[in-house]
Amino acid sequence: MSEHRIAWLPGDGVGNDVMDCARLVLDALNFEAKYVKGDIGWEFWKHEGNALPDRTLDMLKTTECALFGAITSKPRDEAAEELDPEIRDKGYVYFSPIVRLRQEKSLHTNMRPCKAYPGNPLNYKEGIDLVIFRENTEGLYVGVEFHPMPDEVIETLAKYQPKAKRFLDIPRNDVAMSSRIMTRAGCTNIVEKAFEFARKYGRKSVTVVDKPNVLRETGGMMIRSAREVAKNYPEINMWETNIDAQAMWLLKNPFDYDILVAENMFGDILSDLAAQLVGGLGFAASGNIGDNYAVFEPTHGSAPKYAGQYKVNPIAMLLSTRLMLDWLGEYELATKLEASIAKTIAEGKSRTYDMGGSNTSLEVAEEIARNL
Ligand code: IPM
Ligand code: MG
């Protein structure tokens, strides 16, 4: 096994706690790597007005992939209030560094497995095993937003789209706009990734989730692209559903679904819902995967109130670590890690508070390391 070079991005809040757990387990696996720590997160926003400094982006170029903990994200005004006084009024605007990272590195595919490991007391139902493919660089999270609304923008919109005319007479400061921009290439790619995965792992169906009856152009592009892709996978069924109904059906009939694929925001929402079916965000892993780079992170947030307490469930982080090992081609280590996580959950000897236990994050990680 040659030595890997991994970017180590703890972020803030509980990011550090769960990354310590990842390190403990990676060392126990004898995974040979050099870890290069990168600056990212709330501290850098407060002091530099940039939560993802350029030096970090430069550093990433020297690594194969990154492991990422968690990051605090706040709306624009709350974020601006926390800037150091000397850099306020410099025009810094907060934009989530993880969303930016996905876009800057073209990490188009966000893969989020949701599996009910047997014996997890938090499982909604045993046997659930879904994988969500979330488009990661386009859609409603693309960041093309306006407030106050510039005259040229609203006037141009009204010129081409009569439905926009009713906003012309509203004071510009009282209108805000976020754009949902989707490309055929982006839609085709995410659906292809879902079908490829289904083929590789013998999954039976791919469900494409959007809302084309209302979002006729963007949703329509997603569905039309998906139908084209599906032609190349005749052995796999494709279902088309609307996001609102899908949320209900996922609770009602979770066993009817296998692989789900959606645009950025719908995938974001759906993946939290699916995570709850298998124990909550403590079990939700994700891989942000591009053609040449990837960032692996737990889906959960930074839970600042628990920072440094080693209280939160490290399993989401460790399942993300497993996805990283898989992506790096370290299949043996990946399989070993997943088996050990499954065993630790089933035995229930070491559990964090969310699972009804009183163990620390590190104790759970130590138990997983012992079970390897
Ligand atoms: C996620 C998170 C992020 C997102 C936030 C923290 C910006 O919710 O990874 O699902 O919306 O993508
Ligand atoms: Mg989310």
Side-chain angles (χ1 to χ4, degrees):
M1 187 166 73
S2 60
E3 194 181 78
H4 294 284
R5 199 176 155 83
I6 312 291
W8 197 256
L9 308 175
D12 58 62
V14 296
N16 230 355
D17 304 26
V18 292
M19 289 286 277
D20 281 351
C21 296
R23 186 57 196 269
L24 191 154
V25 170
L26 284 166
D27 288 350
L29 277 167
N30 292 317
F31 175 64
E32 284 178 36
K34 185 164 173 35
Y35 301 104
V36 193
K37 198 167 174 223
D39 295 341
I40 185 168
W42 201 247
E43 284 308 301
F44 304 97
W45 163 251
K46 286 197 329 201
H47 304 318
E48 301 176 27
N50 186 356
L52 175 55
D54 290 347
R55 60 182 178 279
T56 305
L57 288 169
D58 287 340
M59 180 277 280
L60 295 185
K61 289 184 197 141
T62 72
T63 61
E64 284 169 83
C65 66
L67 207 53
F68 172 90
I71 266 180
T72 304
S73 241
K74 297 190 183 180
R76 188 193 65 185
D77 295 351
E78 282 93 316
E81 279 164 23
E82 290 198 29
L83 281 173
D84 284 350
E86 59 277 15
I87 59 167
R88 270 183 218 158
D89 310 319
K90 288 226 164 125
Y92 293 124
V93 178
Y94 183 79
F95 189 67
S96 162
I98 182 66
V99 175
R100 215 185 119 207
L101 196 53
R102 292 166 181 161
Q103 293 179 3
E104 298 254 356
K105 304 289 288 176
S106 298
L107 308 175
H108 41 69
T109 302
N110 195 330
M111 189 177 94
R112 300 188 149 177
C114 296
K115 181 166 166 182
Y117 287 95
N120 181 352
L122 302 174
N123 282 342
Y124 175 67
K125 283 181 184 152
E126 294 282 331
I128 294 174
D129 188 3
L130 305 159
V131 185
I132 296 187
F133 282 82
R134 162 185 178 188
E135 202 296 319
N136 219 17
T137 54
E138 306 187 342
L140 200 57
Y141 291 2
V142 78
V144 180
E145 304 191 289
F146 302 98
H147 180 255
M149 187 64 116
D151 287 334
E152 302 90 303
V153 175
I154 190 64
E155 281 159 12
T156 308
L157 283 174
K159 185 166 149 210
Y160 289 99
Q161 178 49 270
K163 290 197 181 74
K165 281 195 181 135
R166 69 190 169 106
F167 300 104
L168 276 172
D169 299 332
I170 301 176
R172 299 296 180 249
N173 198 38
D174 295 341
V175 186
M177 177 174 140
S178 304
S179 330
R180 190 185 202 233
I181 305 180
M182 288 158 65
T183 65
R184 196 182 303 282
C187 296
T188 302
N189 176 69
I190 194 67
V191 178
E192 259 169 15
K193 293 293 180 293
F195 272 99
E196 268 312 306
F197 182 93
R199 175 170 281 172
K200 187 166 170 200
Y201 295 100
R203 300 288 194 133
K204 294 194 173 48
S205 71
V206 169
T207 304
V208 183
V209 190
D210 207 283
K211 185 86 183 180
N213 54 347
V214 177
L215 299 168
R216 293 168 305 163
E217 304 312 334
T218 46
M221 176 156 308
M222 175 60 97
I223 294 301
R224 284 190 296 274
S225 308
R227 287 178 191 159
E228 280 307 305
V229 173
K231 288 181 187 160
N232 301 323
Y233 301 84
E235 79 280 19
I236 299 161
N237 290 317
M238 183 177 95
W239 312 116
E240 298 171 15
T241 64
N242 287 328
I243 179 69
D244 49 347
Q246 185 61 67
M248 182 183 68
W249 288 332
L250 210 46
L251 282 178
K252 196 172 168 207
N253 306 317
F255 298 111
D256 287 0
Y257 302 96
D258 200 337
I259 310 291
L260 295 138
V261 55
E263 165 268 356
N264 211 336
M265 181 181 77
F266 291 160
D268 185 23
I269 296 171
L270 216 49
S271 57
D272 272 20
L273 172 58
Q276 190 56 35
L277 299 177
V278 300
L281 289 173
F283 298 85
S286 74
N288 302 276
I289 302 170
D291 292 340
N292 306 304
Y293 199 78
V295 177
F296 298 88
E297 52 152 344
T299 303
H300 62 64
S302 65
K305 66 178 176 187
Y306 292 144
Q309 295 181 26
Y310 293 93
K311 186 180 161 85
V312 299
N313 194 338
I315 291 177
M317 180 80 237
L318 298 175
L319 287 170
S320 309
T321 306
R322 176 238 157 175
L323 292 176
M324 175 186 82
L325 292 170
D326 238 330
W327 185 82
L328 286 168
E330 300 288 356
Y331 305 118
E332 245 185 78
L333 297 185
T335 307
K336 217 167 142 183
L337 175 54
E338 195 196 8
S340 170
I341 293 170
K343 181 168 186 230
T344 306
I345 293 172
E347 288 181 348
K349 284 193 232 156
S350 190
R351 286 178 167 169
T352 41
Y353 79 99
D354 56 320
M355 296 179 79
S358 56
N359 292 100
T360 65
S361 325
L362 286 167
E363 283 165 351
V364 173
E366 278 159 8
E367 179 71 9
I368 290 170
R370 263 194 297 280
N371 282 334
L372 282 169

